[in-house]
Amino acid sequence: MAKHTIVSIPGDGIGPEVSRAARRVLEAAGLSVDWVEMLAGASALEAGMENVLPQRTLAAVLAHKVALKGPVTTPVGKGFKSVNVQLRQKLNLYAAVRPVRSLPGVKTRFENVDMVIVRENTEGLYSGIENEVVPGVVTSLKVASQVACTRIARYAFRYATRRHRKRITVFHKANIMKLSDGLFLDCARKIHDDEYPNIEYDELIIDAGCMKLVQDPSRMDVLLMENLYGDLVSDLCAGLVGGLGVVPGSNIGDDAAVFEAVHGSAPDIAGKGLANPLALIMSGVMMLVHLHEDAIAAKIEKAYDIVLSEGKHLTRDLGGGATTDAFADAIIARL
Ligand code: NAD
């Protein structure tokens, strides 16, 4: 089996705890790997680095092309641009892919949820272009470009086709943001019509889309949306299947891919051994599929499904009393 070199960014808050657990599970399942550990976030500043996203961390991800990243804390109001926004923009990680599915043993209001959020990751209101027009009046610019809208639409349709998905639904607010969301819709329609008529296509105004999501998420398949909507809808959808501890994610570009959970650094539970490492372990499974290590990925999926079904080693967010490490140990024991 090939040995992989993977950048590990433990991050801040619960990041180091869940990263350690995820790395242990991947290695125990048979992944042959050299981890290249790099700093980002508040921990980079604490180590005396110049920026929340140090140049050497960026260079390592570009060099090795794959990273497993824990959540980071971006100091608020200190003039630093968010690590995640920088990473996604500088490495052109244009597609965030976040599968949301019901898990065995995790009781929620709905069963049979199996959807994927595809979020445009590089522009929208994350362009960082804000102006003070006059004192007391500020603007934030929402950017939409034909190149980025077409690129994410094509990615979503290709993903849906390869994964045997049936339908893509675009969430938008083009009734109000006629130009920016209008362009997003035009690009998605064109890719559907010209390249992927095999996939069903529909559109929902995002407010109505959110209502439909909480009424019956099992009817949704692939959801495609611009940056901010994708951020909000991801957390909403996490809440439908058991919370932020169980939703993984990936940020994909043409030159690199960064795998990370949807959740943040959870300072309220950091350092207490309470964090659920499953979202990052699942992100690691997505990474394994990206690296064509499907057999190891399947082994880990099977093991965590067993642990969840047994219900004896769940972390507090899932109603149990197990620590982060105990949950990871239970998965390792069932590999
Ligand atoms: P959060 O996701 O960190 O936490 C929200 C709630 O979910 C908290 O109650 C937390 O305890 C719980 N939670 C999150 N992950 C969990 C897990 N794995 N197991 C159990 N419970 C979990 O969101 P927040 O509190 O709004 O943000 C905290 C920090 O994280 C902020 O600095 C924010 O900027 C940052 N953040 C980083 C990322 C990232 O690096 N990808 C994403 C989102 C937020």
Side-chain angles (χ1 to χ4, degrees), residues 124-176:
L125 276 166
Y126 290 67
S127 64
I129 306 171
E130 293 193 305
N131 290 304
E132 185 179 52
V133 183
V134 291
V137 182
V138 293
T139 60
S140 279
L141 207 65
K142 174 162 170 165
V143 176
S145 69
Q146 192 170 8
V147 168
C149 294
T150 302
R151 186 174 60 183
I152 193 66
R154 185 173 284 122
Y155 182 91
F157 278 100
R158 192 174 59 223
Y159 178 94
T161 302
R162 287 187 181 162
R163 302 294 172 119
H164 308 292
R165 293 278 173 170
K166 285 200 168 54
R167 188 175 67 249
I168 288 186
T169 305
V170 176
F171 277 22
H172 68 92
K173 194 78 184 173
N175 49 330
I176 305 297

Side-chain angles (χ1 to χ4, degrees), residues 227-276:
N227 212 338
L228 181 64
Y229 306 156
D231 188 15
L232 308 182
V233 170
S234 296
D235 276 37
L236 185 156
C237 290
L240 298 171
V241 295
L244 286 165
V246 300
V247 177
S250 59
N251 301 288
I252 309 282
D254 293 332
D255 302 318
V258 175
F259 295 82
E260 65 177 337
V262 170
H263 65 73
S265 54
D268 53 334
I269 57 168
K272 297 179 181 164
L274 295 174
N276 187 348

Side-chain angles (χ1 to χ4, degrees), residues 15-299:
E17 303 161 54
V18 292
S19 292
R20 195 176 52 241
R23 282 167 49 164
R24 283 205 297 125
V25 170
L26 295 181
E27 286 174 34
L31 179 67
S32 174
V33 57
D34 277 331
W35 298 106
V36 178
E37 196 163 308
M38 287 285 152
L39 292 173
S43 48
L45 294 182
E46 279 154 26
M49 304 217 173
E50 73 291 356
N51 191 300
V52 283
L53 180 60
Q55 190 53 39
R56 68 173 83 163
T57 301
L58 199 61
V61 181
L62 254 185
H64 300 297
K65 301 192 179 308
V66 180
L68 185 63
K69 175 184 165 295
V72 294
T73 305
T74 301
V76 177
K78 295 207 180 143
F80 293 109
K81 193 168 175 181
S82 148
V83 174
N84 298 315
V85 173
Q86 285 195 62
L87 252 185
R88 292 163 193 170
Q89 289 177 348
K90 290 187 174 165
L91 297 175
N92 219 356
L93 306 173
Y94 57 84
V97 181
R98 295 164 165 189
V100 179
R101 69 177 175 99
S102 306
L103 291 165
V106 180
K107 285 207 175 41
T108 55
R109 190 180 294 261
F110 303 101
E111 289 169 7
N112 306 321
V113 177
D114 180 11
M115 57 191 167
V116 181
I117 297 161
V118 178
R119 163 188 177 190
E120 202 293 319
N121 231 359
T122 61
E123 51 182 33
L125 276 166
Y126 290 67
S127 64
I129 306 171
E130 293 193 305
N131 290 304
E132 185 179 52
V133 183
V134 291
V137 182
V138 293
T139 60
S140 279
L141 207 65
K142 174 162 170 165
V143 176
S145 69
Q146 192 170 8
V147 168
C149 294
T150 302
R151 186 174 60 183
I152 193 66
R154 185 173 284 122
Y155 182 91
F157 278 100
R158 192 174 59 223
Y159 178 94
T161 302
R162 287 187 181 162
R163 302 294 172 119
H164 308 292
R165 293 278 173 170
K166 285 200 168 54
R167 188 175 67 249
I168 288 186
T169 305
V170 176
F171 277 22
H172 68 92
K173 194 78 184 173
N175 49 330
I176 305 297
M177 279 159 278
K178 296 178 198 296
L179 283 183
S180 53
D181 282 16
L183 179 63
F184 196 88
L185 283 182
D186 284 346
C187 295
R189 287 175 192 158
K190 186 160 168 48
I191 294 292
H192 171 245
D193 291 347
D194 294 353
E195 300 178 24
Y196 292 95
N198 56 309
I199 300 289
E200 290 169 33
Y201 173 78
D202 61 5
E203 297 163 357
L204 281 173
I205 293 181
I206 186 159
D207 33 351
C210 287
M211 185 201 66
K212 285 194 186 226
L213 270 175
V214 297
Q215 276 184 333
D216 186 4
S218 65
R219 290 160 63 183
M220 299 292 183
D221 195 346
V222 177
L223 305 180
L224 168 63
M225 59 200 86
E226 62 86 79
N227 212 338
L228 181 64
Y229 306 156
D231 188 15
L232 308 182
V233 170
S234 296
D235 276 37
L236 185 156
C237 290
L240 298 171
V241 295
L244 286 165
V246 300
V247 177
S250 59
N251 301 288
I252 309 282
D254 293 332
D255 302 318
V258 175
F259 295 82
E260 65 177 337
V262 170
H263 65 73
S265 54
D268 53 334
I269 57 168
K272 297 179 181 164
L274 295 174
N276 187 348
L278 184 57
L280 193 62
I281 293 169
M282 293 166 97
S283 307
V285 167
M286 293 175 77
M287 181 179 76
L288 291 172
V289 172
H290 177 82
L291 294 170
H292 306 292
E293 295 285 7
D294 296 49
I296 303 177
K299 212 160 130 182

